[in-house]
């Protein structure tokens, strides 16, 4: 008896938003409006999605108009994060467009009297034998897309795609090059007013008294808004808003704050707090070999700021009891849910519309400033209000990437082969995004007269890639392991999602210890990794990076080389990195050579851009970035106090894509960070002979490590 094949399933995003018309519309101007729920944050996603749509619909990509996500009309695809946009939105859009194409071919067949199998589509024109023809736009009135997707349509085979798999010009770049107002910071609205919010310098302090009289006489003042511990100003110009805020600050009285940890002993702090402990994964070895010795190593990273080049910004406008918010949030529907709680409105009374910001790749202050704008706009008499945080605000009050302490114990036999592996993580949770709980996760929600408690960050489930535990389960074929996560239940420093969540730190720890064990054995670290991998795609990226970097060149004095590898979330893109560093006065990363496998690369140039960007950001994290604080407040509130990699320090980055058009695509945005971090640390050992286990790798820490080793 033959088992029937399972019915085809809709892609996840399409199952959640099955109406075809919410994704695709044909407009009167001979264009195609594509409306995804994922948003452009600099990663080039709108271009890749346009390529997918152009391929499946057989239209020129210049006809595609990408519509910004809005709760008024767009499909709800949750949040743009986790390198999931291609996997979720791309797959959904491919299925939608394949079905739309099939519906229009059926309608054309009926109108033209030609079997659908004999019809072709070229740039939206549908033609058949005898020069009969029609088009999507002529048939748009006959074909209703207000129907649910059926999963019956079949997308084109990879070989039949003419746009996907090729590097096309990004659709968002011309506006940015020619200074057209695409960013939220530059967007004009009629009658726009400007707002600023008063916040404490002391961590956890609350506004208890405010003398407003000193600010009343400042020219340009429109209103002072106060709701419990939340206070802000609305003014005619940005300069006036700053002047009023300065005057208002002089008359503010604050409560005592909350103590911050000892910055110089973050590992001690993390390991001393109350935690929720979860065993992430275990593997038991059939053989019971006795360990000859055990390596126990601790790896740490500090709190890391998003450090967006432009501070967060939002606009809001009230019309009666309805409000419209413009934001660079990564999740417009999730933000709307939290706004509804704080503003005590039904979600139908709130429209949240995405407008591009200046990058963030994680939960920065974009959502917080959106609530600020909505609260201040209440005092603006129907005018739109634009609120932009200062650099000081951004570096003091936005969520940070969580500090982490990771301890790995590796049991080795007499030949220094691994026979046991224990990986333990101490960290705050890595996610406190809006819209995920019954209480809001927005900063001003903790400040108003009836405040909500600050949400303690949690970790996404392992099925969604995990949080602090992301990439903690080795991809290597080790005989036995236990992976444990200890999530802190206190949060004196506000944390939430930063690019890769715990992936960067866990890969750094795993790859560093593997390198150390390879050195103990006197084995080439590339060969050592290949010997412990079964996944051929994993082996391929390591071989490709090593070949491209001419591994391993003869060592020169003051130069070192290191390797790192990971498969992001163990389910996403494969990436291997080779770092070449110079170690003179300071560590300088000269070259990074990477190989990546994302399955089908929709836009190869876009994939390369993502890997390059991730590699450079990781280099900045490894060498420079660290949130600084004393026991009362954040002190790294400027670029001087929080340095990032400068243009003159950017390494040469060389990327090879292993193109696999027959395999479903995955995202590239977060694949490089872990491998690059590990590769740089391993290159430092190759160059200087010391193992660096605490990030960032600074001159002072290298000297201390050398003194400890001597």
């Amino acid at each position: 008896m033959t088992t029937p094949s399972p019915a085809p399933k809709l892609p996840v995003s399409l199952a959640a938003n099955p109406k075809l018309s919410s994704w695709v519309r044909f407009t009167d101007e001979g264009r195609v409006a594509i409306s995804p729920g994922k948003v452009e944050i600099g990663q080039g996603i709108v271009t890749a999605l346009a390529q997918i749509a152009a391929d499946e619909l057989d239209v020129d990509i210049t006809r595609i108009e990408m519509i910004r996500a809005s709760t008024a009309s767009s499909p709800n695809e949750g949040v743009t994060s986790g390198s999931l946009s291609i996997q979720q939105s791309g797959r959904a859009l491919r299925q939608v467009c394949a079905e739309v194409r099939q519906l229009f071919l059926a309608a054309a067949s009926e109108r033209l009297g030609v079997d659908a199998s004999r019809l072709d589509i070229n740039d939206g024109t549908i033609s058949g034998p005898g020069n009969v023809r029609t088009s999507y736009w002529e048939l748009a009135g006959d074909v209703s897309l207000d129907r649910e997707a059926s999963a019956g349509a079949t997308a084109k085979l990879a070989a039949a795609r003419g746009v996907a798999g090729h590097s096309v010009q990004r659709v968002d770049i011309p506006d940015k090059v020619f200074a057209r107002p695409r960013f939220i910071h530059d967007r004009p609205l009629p009658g726009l007013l400007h707002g600023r919010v008063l916040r404490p310098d002391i961590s956890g302090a609350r506004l208890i008294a405010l003398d407003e009289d000193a600010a009343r006489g400042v020219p340009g003042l429109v209103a002072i808004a106060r709701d419990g511990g939340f206070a802000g100003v609305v003014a005619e110009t940005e300069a006036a808003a700053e002047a009023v805020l300065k005057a208002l600050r002089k008359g503010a009285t604050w409560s005592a704050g909350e103590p911050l940890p000892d910055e110089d002993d973050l590992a001690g702090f993390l390991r001393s707090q109350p935690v929720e402990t979860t065993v992430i994964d275990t593997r038991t070895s059939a053989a019971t070999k006795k360990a000859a010795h055990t390596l126990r190593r601790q790896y740490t990273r500090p709190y890391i700021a998003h450090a967006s080049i432009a501070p967060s910004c939002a606009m809001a406008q009230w019309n009666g009891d309805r409000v419209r918010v413009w934001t660079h949030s990564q999740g417009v529907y999730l933000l709307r849910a939290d706004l509804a709680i704080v503003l005590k409105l039904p979600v139908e009374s709130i429209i949240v519309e995405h407008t591009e910001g200046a990058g963030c790749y994680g939960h920065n202050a974009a959502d917080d400033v959106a609530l600020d704008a909505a609260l201040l706009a209440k005092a603006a008499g129907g005018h739109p209000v634009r609120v932009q945080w200062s650099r000081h605000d951004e570096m003091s009050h936005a969520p940070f990437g969580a500090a982490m302490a990771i301890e790995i114990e590796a049991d080795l036999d007499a030949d220094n082969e691994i026979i046991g592996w224990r990986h333990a993580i101490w960290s705050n949770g890595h996610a406190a995004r809006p819209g995920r709980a019954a209480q809001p996760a927005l900063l001003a929600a903790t400040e108003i007269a009836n405040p909500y408690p600050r949400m303690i960050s949690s970790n996404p489930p392992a099925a969604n890639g995990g949080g602090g535990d992301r990439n903690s389960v080795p991809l290597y074929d080790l005989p036995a392991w236990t992976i444990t996560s200890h999530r802190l239940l206190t949060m004196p420093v506000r944390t939430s999602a930063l690019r890769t969540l715990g992936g960067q730190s866990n890969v750094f720890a795993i790859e560093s210890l593997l390198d150390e064990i390879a050195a103990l054995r006197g084995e080439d670290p590339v060969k050592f990794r290949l010997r412990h991998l079964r996944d051929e795609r994993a082996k391929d990226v390591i071989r490709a990076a090593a070949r491209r970097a001419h591994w391993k060149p003869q060592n020169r004095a003051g130069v070192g080389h290191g390797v790192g590898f990971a498969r992001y979330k163990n389910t996403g893109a494969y990436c291997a990195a080779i770092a070449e560093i110079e170690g003179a006065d300071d560590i300088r990363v000269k070259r990074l050579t990477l190989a990546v496998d994302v399955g089908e690369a929709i836009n190869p140039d876009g994939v390369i851009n993502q890997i390059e960007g991730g590699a450079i950001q990781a280099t900045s994290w490894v060498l420079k970035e660290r949130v600084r604080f004393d026991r009362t407040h954040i002190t790294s509130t400027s670029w001087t106090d929080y340095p990032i990699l400068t243009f003159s320090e950017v390494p040469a980055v060389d990327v090879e894509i292993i193109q696999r058009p027959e395999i479903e695509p995955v995202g590239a945005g977060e694949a490089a960070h872990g491998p690059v971090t590990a590769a740089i640390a391993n290159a430092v050992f190759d160059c200087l002979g010391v193992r660096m286990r605490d990030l960032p790798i600074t001159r002072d820490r290298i000297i201390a490590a050398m003194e400890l080793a001597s």
Side-chain angles (χ1 to χ4, degrees), residues 670-692:
E670 296 167 295
H673 291 69
V676 165
T677 299
I680 294 171
N682 291 332
V684 170
F685 173 76
D686 186 52
C687 177
L688 301 176
V690 291
R691 292 282 174 192
M692 302 305 301

Side-chain angles (χ1 to χ4, degrees), residues 22-36 46-47 49-51 53-54 57 59-69 93 137 171 182:
S22 66
W23 297 86
V24 177
R25 288 183 295 107
F26 294 94
T27 68
D28 293 337
E29 299 81 23
R31 295 175 66 79
V32 186
I34 300 295
S35 179
V46 295
T47 305
L49 294 178
Q51 289 179 260
L57 293 172
V59 298
D60 192 279
I61 195 170
T62 58
R63 289 190 185 272
I64 301 289
E65 180 183 357
M66 299 300 294
I67 307 300
R68 289 191 299 266
L93 192 58
W137 298 276
V171 301
R182 191 177 183 100

Side-chain angles (χ1 to χ4, degrees), residues 455-480:
M455 182 186 292
I456 301 295
S457 289
S458 59
N459 282 321
N464 293 345
D469 56 301
R470 182 166 293 180
N471 276 107
S472 59
V473 178
L475 202 66
Y476 298 97
D477 187 27
L478 307 182

Side-chain angles (χ1 to χ4, degrees), residues 358-691:
C360 69
Y361 298 105
H363 180 195
N364 69 349
D367 298 291
D368 295 322
V369 74
L371 176 56
D372 290 350
L375 291 172
L376 293 184
K378 280 185 173 183
H383 284 272
V385 173
R386 174 185 179 275
V387 179
Q388 178 173 299
W389 279 20
S390 67
R391 173 58 50 195
H392 185 280
D393 290 337
E394 190 83 15
M395 305 298 261
S396 300
H397 300 295
F400 298 126
M404 298 182 69
I406 297 167
E407 183 179 272
I408 303 181
E409 295 179 331
D411 296 329
L412 307 180
D413 66 13
D415 297 320
N416 288 322
E417 292 282 14
I418 301 167
I419 59 173
W421 186 272
R422 291 172 297 283
H423 183 127
I425 304 147
W426 287 265
S427 173
N428 273 114
H430 288 250
R433 287 187 183 273
R436 303 285 179 85
Q439 70 181 57
L442 305 173
L443 180 58
T446 68
E447 300 169 331
I448 56 178
N450 295 306
Y452 295 87
R454 177 191 281 185
M455 182 186 292
I456 301 295
S457 289
S458 59
N459 282 321
N464 293 345
D469 56 301
R470 182 166 293 180
N471 276 107
S472 59
V473 178
L475 202 66
Y476 298 97
D477 187 27
L478 307 182
W481 61 55
T482 301
I483 315 298
T484 309
S485 173
H486 305 284
R487 180 180 70 89
L488 271 65
L489 300 178
T490 58
M491 197 176 70
V493 177
R494 188 181 180 211
T495 67
S496 191
L498 176 72
R499 205 174 187 187
T500 80
L501 280 63
Q504 182 232 6
S505 300
N506 285 310
V507 173
F508 162 54
I510 292 168
E511 292 288 297
S512 292
L513 188 51
L514 286 177
D515 221 68
E516 187 171 347
I517 295 168
L520 273 178
R521 290 180 45 78
E523 186 173 355
D524 178 85
V526 167
K527 292 179 180 177
F528 182 79
R529 285 165 173 78
L530 293 173
R531 187 165 62 82
H532 285 85
L533 285 166
R534 292 185 180 180
D535 188 329
E536 289 301 321
R537 292 174 70 186
K539 292 181 180 181
D540 283 348
V541 293
I542 294 174
R543 292 189 189 108
R547 181 180 63 251
R548 198 174 184 95
H550 305 292
W551 180 270
K552 182 172 185 291
Q554 186 174 358
N555 266 6
R556 307 190 307 275
V559 176
H561 299 86
V563 59
F565 160 77
R567 183 183 188 188
Y568 185 52
K569 300 183 191 174
N570 286 7
T571 58
Y574 297 82
C575 184
I578 306 290
E580 178 183 314
I581 67 113
E582 290 181 350
D585 293 337
D586 289 294
I587 297 300
R588 184 178 181 88
V589 181
K590 295 294 291 181
R591 176 173 292 276
L592 295 169
T593 306
L594 300 102
V596 61
D597 174 354
V598 297
E600 179 193 9
I602 303 296
N603 186 325
D605 184 59
V607 171
I608 290 171
N609 289 341
Q610 284 291 280
I611 297 299
E612 286 178 345
I616 292 167
Q617 184 177 47
T619 304
S620 186
W621 288 357
V622 171
L623 299 184
K624 290 179 175 287
E625 297 191 37
R626 176 187 183 189
V627 174
R628 309 307 303 267
F629 48 90
D630 57 26
R631 301 310 291 266
T632 63
H633 67 294
I634 305 295
T635 58
S636 52
T637 58
S638 70
W639 293 123
T640 301
D641 306 314
Y642 190 91
I644 61 175
L645 206 68
T646 63
F647 280 109
S648 64
E649 296 168 314
V650 169
V653 183
D654 184 24
V655 180
E656 178 174 323
I657 298 174
I658 298 177
Q659 177 69 284
R660 300 188 189 274
E662 74 286 356
I663 296 176
E664 289 277 14
V666 295
E670 296 167 295
H673 291 69
V676 165
T677 299
I680 294 171
N682 291 332
V684 170
F685 173 76
D686 186 52
C687 177
L688 301 176
V690 291
R691 292 282 174 192

